[in-house]
Amino acid sequence: MRVVSLVPSLTEAVAVSAPGVLAAATDWCVRPAGLDVVRIGGTKNPDVPAIAGLRPDLVIANEEENRPADLEALRAAGLSVLVTEVRGLSQAFSELERVLAACGAGRPRWLDEAEQAWARVVPGRERTAIVPIWRRPWMVLGRDTFAGDLLSRLGVRNPYAEHPERYPRIPLGELTAAGADMVVLPDEPYRFTADDGPEAFPGLPAALVSGRYLTWYGPSLCRAPQALRAALG
């Protein structure tokens, strides 16, 4: 079995669950550490001819992270492409199971541990939080997102959860007037830091969280409840 992954979190899931099947991955696939596979560009600009030249049995992708045009080009090259959709935790678990089965892997222990870890989660006191994912322009979590679902399970309410768009662009003035209790700043896709982000929301507590625990679906889900709860304070 030869698999090419265009999704960092799926790369990690496959690499630790079915060692040896990954033939290639994107430049952004940085886990597991030391992963030694062919690199075929980014998630938004994969090298389609290079991927086709590897003649993989399967290419795994995601409807949000990868462009439809690239996926169609891969199919036109005669490749089998499995496209995942992950817009909530339950869907993440079912899609991970589907991907791993397609890669010839049995159900890994970490997937059971991740489900158990989230089943034990009890929401804390409810807080309202703005969750930017980009600036210049400011973009935030809207409706129907995986990260939003994780936060809601921890008691964090998103004031834009019913917005028509999944990642709406909201003027900063509107964000600061949204009546939130805090702002949650992940380090991906935009790398918010203590010096880049909190200053835009004066007087509002800022929680810097790891994007790996907020946006990745894979082995990181085992530790995500504990890590996110600690970061949220």
Side-chain angles (χ1 to χ4, degrees), residues 39-56:
R39 300 295 174 162
I40 41 75
T43 57
K44 306 296 185 186
N45 58 344
D47 188 335
V48 172
I51 296 171
L54 292 170
R55 302 181 63 83

Side-chain angles (χ1 to χ4, degrees), residues 116-138:
Q116 292 163 10
W118 280 98
R120 291 192 296 268
V121 167
V122 177
R125 65 179 179 84
E126 183 175 289
R127 290 169 288 175
T128 300
I130 299 163
V131 191
I133 53 132
W134 204 260
R135 66 182 303 177
R136 304 182 192 95
W138 286 96

Side-chain angles (χ1 to χ4, degrees), residues 4-22:
V4 172
S5 174
L6 304 182
V7 185
S9 51
L10 294 180
T11 296
E12 182 182 26
V14 172
V16 302
S17 306
V21 308
L22 276 178

Side-chain angles (χ1 to χ4, degrees), residues 198-224:
E199 80 290 343
F201 303 89
L204 201 61
L208 297 169
V209 304
S210 167
R212 171 169 161 73
Y213 294 120
L214 184 62
T215 65
W216 284 44
Y217 34 90
S220 58
L221 284 171
C222 296
R223 293 195 61 243

